[in-house]
């Protein structure tokens, strides 16, 4: 009797990826729990943003840990390497998060075209890597790590910022986190992100992924990531300007007393 063919997902050394719908249901459940339970005492205006932060927390740090494991467990990792099952699972985990958060923006902030566009572009990168070319997860997951390693700090800063006018403690937390968060974010997005993007671009432009990842795919990845990094640098630069302006005003008020 002939032996049954082995499942290709098992041959690549990674576990079978959990189905995307389960991850999506999980993030939607976390979001609803934020609305109905965790932030029930917050104002109706603040609950949507706070719930979005909650699913971001559920995604960010776990995604960094899962992506790191998926990359380190792949001995053949590289810019043109075939995705492993573990890497595909992390991609699906992130796809589910961005879909859930996209629904949040479409429902509560339909005019926020910048974030909606960001989420759609990010989903394009994840979806093409996971389902179309099935290669290149190494590059995408390293970028995911760089994007999400600041997530916990950023969400704590955002949540305290939402409540700082209603809570003295939240205001203190927001002020205490601002400079460290901006610094951490600036180094990751302004230094490590562009450096890795440059290495990624050099590899693909040299033909390293020829026959594996079509040119239009890797070019679109580079464009999307370049724009995302540029917007991130502009965003944190504006935050630095605002912080220095507020602290300058504070010093002037103290001197005038």
């Amino acid at each position: 009797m002939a032996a049954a063919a082995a499942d290709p997902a098992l041959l690549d050394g990674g576990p079978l990826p959990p189905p995307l719908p389960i991850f999506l249901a999980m993030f939607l459940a976390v979001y609803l729990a934020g609305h109905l339970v965790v932030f029930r005492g917050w104002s109706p205006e603040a609950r949507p943003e706070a719930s979005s932060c909650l699913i971001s927390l559920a995604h960010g740090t776990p995604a960094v840990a899962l992506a790191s494991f998926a990359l380190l467990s792949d001995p053949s990792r590289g810019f043109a390497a075939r995705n492993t099952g573990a890497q595909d699972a992390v991609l699906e985990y992130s796809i589910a998060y961005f879909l859930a958060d996209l629904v949040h923006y479409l429902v509560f902030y339909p005019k926020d075209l910048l974030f909606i566009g960001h989420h759609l572009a990010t989903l394009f990168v994840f979806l093409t890597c996971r389902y179309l070319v099935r290669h290149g997860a190494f590059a995408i997951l390293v970028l995911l790590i760089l994007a999400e390693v600041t997530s916990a700090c950023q969400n704590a800063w955002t949540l305290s910022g939402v409540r700082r006018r209603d809570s003295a403690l939240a205001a203190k937390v927001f002020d205490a986190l601002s400079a460290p968060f901006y610094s951490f974010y600036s180094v990751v997005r302004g230094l490590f992100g562009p450096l890795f993007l440059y290495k990624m671009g050099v590899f693909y432009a040299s033909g390293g992924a020829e026959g594996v990842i079509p040119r239009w795919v890797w070019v679109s990845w580079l464009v999307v990531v370049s724009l995302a990094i540029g917007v991130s640098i502009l965003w944190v630069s504006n935050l630095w300007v605002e912080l220095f302006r507020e602290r300058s005003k504070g010093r002037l008020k103290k001197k005038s007393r």
Side-chain angles (χ1 to χ4, degrees):
M1 183 176 179
D7 190 329
L10 296 176
L11 294 176
D12 61 14
L16 286 170
L20 176 61
I22 292 179
F23 286 143
L24 180 58
M26 181 197 76
F27 282 114
L28 291 175
V30 171
Y31 186 88
L32 290 175
H35 256 286
L36 302 176
V37 180
V38 181
F39 305 111
R40 182 176 55 185
W42 291 31
S43 68
E45 295 77 17
R47 280 202 299 271
E49 185 174 3
S51 300
S52 176
C53 285
L54 189 62
I55 61 170
S56 180
L57 284 168
H59 170 255
T61 303
V64 170
L66 293 170
S68 299
F69 172 79
L71 293 176
L72 293 174
S73 62
D74 178 19
S76 61
R77 58 185 175 273
F79 286 109
R82 186 181 187 278
N83 301 353
T84 66
Q87 291 165 1
D88 281 344
V90 181
L91 289 171
E92 291 194 14
Y93 187 74
S94 293
I95 289 168
Y97 160 71
F98 280 101
L99 284 173
D101 207 42
L102 179 61
V103 171
H104 154 77
Y105 275 99
L106 291 174
V107 172
F108 293 102
Y109 307 106
K111 295 182 179 180
D112 196 338
L113 299 182
L114 181 61
F115 268 93
I116 291 173
H118 168 269
H119 280 28
L120 288 173
T122 302
L123 282 167
F124 167 81
V125 172
F126 286 140
L127 288 168
T128 52
C129 180
R130 170 64 181 93
Y131 297 108
L132 181 64
V133 297
R134 297 180 181 272
H135 289 75
F138 167 77
I140 304 307
L141 293 186
V142 170
L143 291 169
L144 175 66
I145 291 170
L146 292 174
E148 298 297 341
V149 72
T150 58
S151 175
C153 187
Q154 181 173 348
N155 282 295
W157 172 81
T158 301
L159 287 170
S160 60
V162 171
R163 293 284 290 173
R164 63 175 170 160
R165 289 179 175 82
D166 304 319
S167 166
L169 176 60
K172 289 181 180 180
V173 171
F174 180 84
D175 291 338
L177 284 178
S178 291
F181 164 58
Y182 300 169
S183 300
F184 185 24
Y185 191 94
S186 297
V187 171
V188 173
R189 300 294 181 97
L191 178 61
F192 293 116
L195 179 61
F196 184 79
L197 179 64
Y198 171 76
K199 291 183 177 181
M200 180 178 167
V202 168
F203 177 86
Y204 288 136
S206 69
E210 189 174 352
V212 176
I213 302 176
R215 179 183 295 271
W216 71 268
V217 172
W218 64 256
V219 168
S220 64
W221 289 356
L222 293 175
V223 171
V224 168
V225 176
S226 297
L227 290 174
I229 290 177
V231 171
S232 296
I233 292 174
L234 179 62
W235 179 71
V236 77
S237 297
N238 289 334
L239 290 177
W240 276 118
V241 170
E242 184 178 344
L243 178 66
F244 287 133
R245 184 183 294 124
E246 288 180 355
R247 293 193 173 180
S248 296
K249 288 181 180 178
R251 284 194 291 267
L252 288 174
K253 286 181 180 179
K254 288 182 180 180
K255 288 181 179 179
S256 63
R257 289 176 183 174

